[in-house]
Amino acid sequence: SLKAQAQQNKPQVAKAERGVIKDRNGEILCFTRDNISFYVDTRMMTDKRIDTISKVFSKVFGKSQEYYKNLIESGVRNVCLEKKVPMDKALILKKFVVDGLYYIEDFSRVYPYGKLASHILGYVDRELNGAAGIEKVFDSTLRGIDGYFVFQRDVLGRIISLDEKKSKPPKAGKNIILTINKTYQNILEEELEKGLQKYEGESAVGIIMNPNTGEILALSNIPDYDPNKYNDYSIDALRNRAITDTYEPGSTIKALVLSILFDQNLVKENEVINTENGKYIFRNVRITDSHPFNSLTVRQILEQSSNVGMSKLSTRISDEIFYKYLRDYGFSNYTSIELPGEADGTLKMPVNFTPYTKTFVSFGYELSVTPLQMITAYSALINGGTLMKPFLVKAITDNKDSLIEEIKPVKIRNVISRKTSDLMRNLLVGVVEHGTGTAAQLENVLVGGKTGTSQKLMNGSYTN
């Protein structure tokens, strides 16, 4: 009958192996371990078969023959003898053929470096579906296509033979090559840990990016987690703060605002501004500097991070131009990085500007940004003026490592002129050479940068 035939030829799913994720130099950051579980169909057992199987399994696993005998004799229908057997042992047992003994492939996902790059890689759930990070966004690329085996069975449902014609082998998933450099990632994570301990902070974020291409070379958040044991961690540790959390950037915004002034020819770098000995009343709002000066040149306003100087200069820019440049730098826009949960931040539209908006934005308040947006904007500031799309995936290959797709850098728009960018690079070196950023100096590398102390908004008021 048809029913009997259907029972006899029931297909068994053959899981496809999930692709691996590697760093830019081919270091494997995550792979699938192909485990094999062995079962017996107790309905096909005879004393002789039970004896033979128990002997072989006892020899391979070092457990007693009695142990396996009991398992088989007290079991009903299909009994698992050994679960997730490592490859070396599985190969011995695969060669051992006894009627009623069979095996099922049982994959598990392995992150060999534990917490390393956890917020980039993400993790998979029990069914091996991507649940966070690259694992989630590229789930369909990594997962491959399951196949199936059709077995000829006898009347009792026992397997007689494999029907090759009707079976379809699984197709392995593709591999993902990241832009990440594992060594840089390691160093970044170590340094963030040290920084947290030193300053007794609650969390830390760090990103290393190639400003000319938008390639992310390292990205880390602490607290982080081990994707092998993601269940043991709080939601807080799983969160990728570099893209999901926004903050008020504080003084780091000053370099970007200054670039608008230069690009629009509204200032000269040696122009002297009266910085009011660090205390300035602007429309009955008090603006103060942590390092008071009577007067500073425009260059020194950036070097000494003067709020008074910046707020005076910002009034020279029209609301529309001010807004247009900050939007062009990517604020209140998604970067569209290949990770889930990105926030876009906030920036007021010119129609909603108050008389204070430009003043407050000029030293980093009344707008919110993500760490990723900030590094992307800074890359444009110093790379000649071009906003690049940040990206994490460099290439996709097949399971034999042949290239399927190479991802090229994407230029989004020109923000400032090359001349302005060159000048800003020079000014940022000044901040580190003789401004507030001297702690960042290195002996044999030219460093530029901008310090920023942002106050945190807690329960509606700013804290230190």
PDB file of all heavy atoms in Angstrom, residues 60 95 99 106 120 207 218 220 270 290 304 320 331 348:
ATOM      1  N   VAL A  60      36.318   2.076  22.692  1.00  0.00           N
ATOM      2  CA  VAL A  60      36.542   3.449  22.192  1.00  0.00           C
ATOM      3  C   VAL A  60      36.367   4.491  23.297  1.00  0.00           C
ATOM      4  O   VAL A  60      37.100   5.473  23.353  1.00  0.00           O
ATOM      5  CB  VAL A  60      35.601   3.746  20.999  1.00  0.00           C
ATOM      6  CG1 VAL A  60      35.710   5.203  20.572  1.00  0.00           C
ATOM      7  CG2 VAL A  60      35.937   2.836  19.822  1.00  0.00           C
ATOM      8  N   LYS A  95      33.190   3.234  10.653  1.00  0.00           N
ATOM      9  CA  LYS A  95      33.653   2.069   9.879  1.00  0.00           C
ATOM     10  C   LYS A  95      33.036   0.771  10.398  1.00  0.00           C
ATOM     11  O   LYS A  95      33.078  -0.264   9.751  1.00  0.00           O
ATOM     12  CB  LYS A  95      35.183   1.963   9.983  1.00  0.00           C
ATOM     13  CG  LYS A  95      35.929   3.114   9.323  1.00  0.00           C
ATOM     14  CD  LYS A  95      37.420   2.789   9.218  1.00  0.00           C
ATOM     15  CE  LYS A  95      38.210   3.966   8.682  1.00  0.00           C
ATOM     16  NZ  LYS A  95      39.148   4.502   9.691  1.00  0.00           N
ATOM     17  N   ASP A  99      23.921  -4.138  11.957  1.00  0.00           N
ATOM     18  CA  ASP A  99      22.514  -3.811  11.729  1.00  0.00           C
ATOM     19  C   ASP A  99      21.919  -3.204  12.992  1.00  0.00           C
ATOM     20  O   ASP A  99      22.109  -3.726  14.087  1.00  0.00           O
ATOM     21  CB  ASP A  99      21.731  -5.078  11.350  1.00  0.00           C
ATOM     22  CG  ASP A  99      21.997  -5.457   9.902  1.00  0.00           C
ATOM     23  OD1 ASP A  99      22.534  -4.594   9.170  1.00  0.00           O
ATOM     24  OD2 ASP A  99      21.688  -6.596   9.510  1.00  0.00           O
ATOM     25  N   ASP A 106      25.495  16.010  14.273  1.00  0.00           N
ATOM     26  CA  ASP A 106      24.988  16.897  15.305  1.00  0.00           C
ATOM     27  C   ASP A 106      25.978  18.059  15.437  1.00  0.00           C
ATOM     28  O   ASP A 106      27.004  17.926  16.081  1.00  0.00           O
ATOM     29  CB  ASP A 106      24.917  16.076  16.600  1.00  0.00           C
ATOM     30  CG  ASP A 106      24.131  16.777  17.684  1.00  0.00           C
ATOM     31  OD1 ASP A 106      23.689  17.912  17.456  1.00  0.00           O
ATOM     32  OD2 ASP A 106      23.984  16.181  18.761  1.00  0.00           O
ATOM     33  N   ILE A 120      30.752  41.716  17.590  1.00  0.00           N
ATOM     34  CA  ILE A 120      30.761  41.690  16.125  1.00  0.00           C
ATOM     35  C   ILE A 120      30.215  40.344  15.647  1.00  0.00           C
ATOM     36  O   ILE A 120      29.301  40.271  14.837  1.00  0.00           O
ATOM     37  CB  ILE A 120      32.190  41.880  15.585  1.00  0.00           C
ATOM     38  CG1 ILE A 120      32.739  43.240  16.008  1.00  0.00           C
ATOM     39  CG2 ILE A 120      32.209  41.740  14.056  1.00  0.00           C
ATOM     40  CD1 ILE A 120      34.234  43.372  15.823  1.00  0.00           C
ATOM     41  N   ILE A 207      36.636  51.748  19.059  1.00  0.00           N
ATOM     42  CA  ILE A 207      36.554  51.362  17.642  1.00  0.00           C
ATOM     43  C   ILE A 207      37.850  51.787  16.963  1.00  0.00           C
ATOM     44  O   ILE A 207      38.332  52.895  17.202  1.00  0.00           O
ATOM     45  CB  ILE A 207      35.361  52.043  16.922  1.00  0.00           C
ATOM     46  CG1 ILE A 207      34.046  51.795  17.670  1.00  0.00           C
ATOM     47  CG2 ILE A 207      35.241  51.555  15.470  1.00  0.00           C
ATOM     48  CD1 ILE A 207      32.857  52.597  17.125  1.00  0.00           C
ATOM     49  N   ALA A 218      38.800  46.978  14.404  1.00  0.00           N
ATOM     50  CA  ALA A 218      38.491  46.429  15.727  1.00  0.00           C
ATOM     51  C   ALA A 218      37.312  47.202  16.287  1.00  0.00           C
ATOM     52  O   ALA A 218      37.163  48.394  16.000  1.00  0.00           O
ATOM     53  CB  ALA A 218      39.693  46.554  16.660  1.00  0.00           C
ATOM     54  N   SER A 220      34.972  47.064  20.077  1.00  0.00           N
ATOM     55  CA  SER A 220      34.751  46.339  21.321  1.00  0.00           C
ATOM     56  C   SER A 220      33.928  47.149  22.300  1.00  0.00           C
ATOM     57  O   SER A 220      34.017  48.381  22.339  1.00  0.00           O
ATOM     58  CB  SER A 220      36.099  46.004  21.951  1.00  0.00           C
ATOM     59  OG  SER A 220      35.901  45.399  23.210  1.00  0.00           O
ATOM     60  N   ASN A 270      44.622  82.167  12.948  1.00  0.00           N
ATOM     61  CA  ASN A 270      45.361  82.990  13.920  1.00  0.00           C
ATOM     62  C   ASN A 270      44.563  84.181  14.435  1.00  0.00           C
ATOM     63  O   ASN A 270      45.075  85.022  15.163  1.00  0.00           O
ATOM     64  CB  ASN A 270      46.684  83.447  13.325  1.00  0.00           C
ATOM     65  CG  ASN A 270      47.618  82.252  13.117  1.00  0.00           C
ATOM     66  OD1 ASN A 270      47.676  81.363  13.971  1.00  0.00           O
ATOM     67  ND2 ASN A 270      48.296  82.205  11.978  1.00  0.00           N
ATOM     68  N   SER A 290      36.954  75.110  31.587  1.00  0.00           N
ATOM     69  CA  SER A 290      37.684  74.484  32.693  1.00  0.00           C
ATOM     70  C   SER A 290      39.113  75.038  32.799  1.00  0.00           C
ATOM     71  O   SER A 290      39.700  75.039  33.867  1.00  0.00           O
ATOM     72  CB  SER A 290      37.696  72.966  32.550  1.00  0.00           C
ATOM     73  OG  SER A 290      38.018  72.603  31.235  1.00  0.00           O
ATOM     74  N   GLN A 304      42.921  74.199  23.541  1.00  0.00           N
ATOM     75  CA  GLN A 304      42.571  74.322  24.965  1.00  0.00           C
ATOM     76  C   GLN A 304      41.112  73.965  25.226  1.00  0.00           C
ATOM     77  O   GLN A 304      40.638  74.043  26.350  1.00  0.00           O
ATOM     78  CB  GLN A 304      42.845  75.753  25.460  1.00  0.00           C
ATOM     79  CG  GLN A 304      44.298  76.195  25.309  1.00  0.00           C
ATOM     80  CD  GLN A 304      45.274  75.254  26.013  1.00  0.00           C
ATOM     81  OE1 GLN A 304      44.923  74.610  27.015  1.00  0.00           O
ATOM     82  NE2 GLN A 304      46.489  75.149  25.485  1.00  0.00           N
ATOM     83  N   GLU A 320      20.901  76.959   8.835  1.00  0.00           N
ATOM     84  CA  GLU A 320      20.777  75.959   7.758  1.00  0.00           C
ATOM     85  C   GLU A 320      22.129  75.324   7.433  1.00  0.00           C
ATOM     86  O   GLU A 320      22.227  74.111   7.278  1.00  0.00           O
ATOM     87  CB  GLU A 320      20.190  76.579   6.477  1.00  0.00           C
ATOM     88  CG  GLU A 320      18.686  76.715   6.479  1.00  0.00           C
ATOM     89  CD  GLU A 320      18.184  77.784   7.451  1.00  0.00           C
ATOM     90  OE1 GLU A 320      18.975  78.725   7.768  1.00  0.00           O
ATOM     91  OE2 GLU A 320      17.032  77.679   7.902  1.00  0.00           O
ATOM     92  N   PHE A 331      25.410  62.624  11.188  1.00  0.00           N
ATOM     93  CA  PHE A 331      24.647  62.589  12.433  1.00  0.00           C
ATOM     94  C   PHE A 331      23.145  62.526  12.146  1.00  0.00           C
ATOM     95  O   PHE A 331      22.677  63.069  11.158  1.00  0.00           O
ATOM     96  CB  PHE A 331      24.991  63.786  13.325  1.00  0.00           C
ATOM     97  CG  PHE A 331      26.438  63.770  13.747  1.00  0.00           C
ATOM     98  CD1 PHE A 331      27.279  64.850  13.487  1.00  0.00           C
ATOM     99  CD2 PHE A 331      26.972  62.649  14.369  1.00  0.00           C
ATOM    100  CE1 PHE A 331      28.618  64.811  13.849  1.00  0.00           C
ATOM    101  CE2 PHE A 331      28.311  62.603  14.738  1.00  0.00           C
ATOM    102  CZ  PHE A 331      29.131  63.687  14.480  1.00  0.00           C
ATOM    103  N   LYS A 348      18.647  68.442  16.034  1.00  0.00           N
ATOM    104  CA  LYS A 348      17.457  69.261  15.766  1.00  0.00           C
ATOM    105  C   LYS A 348      17.455  69.799  14.340  1.00  0.00           C
ATOM    106  O   LYS A 348      18.496  70.152  13.804  1.00  0.00           O
ATOM    107  CB  LYS A 348      17.413  70.465  16.722  1.00  0.00           C
ATOM    108  CG  LYS A 348      16.955  70.099  18.110  1.00  0.00           C
ATOM    109  CD  LYS A 348      16.840  71.349  18.979  1.00  0.00           C
ATOM    110  CE  LYS A 348      16.345  70.963  20.360  1.00  0.00           C
ATOM    111  NZ  LYS A 348      16.503  72.075  21.309  1.00  0.00           N
TER     112      LYS A 348
END
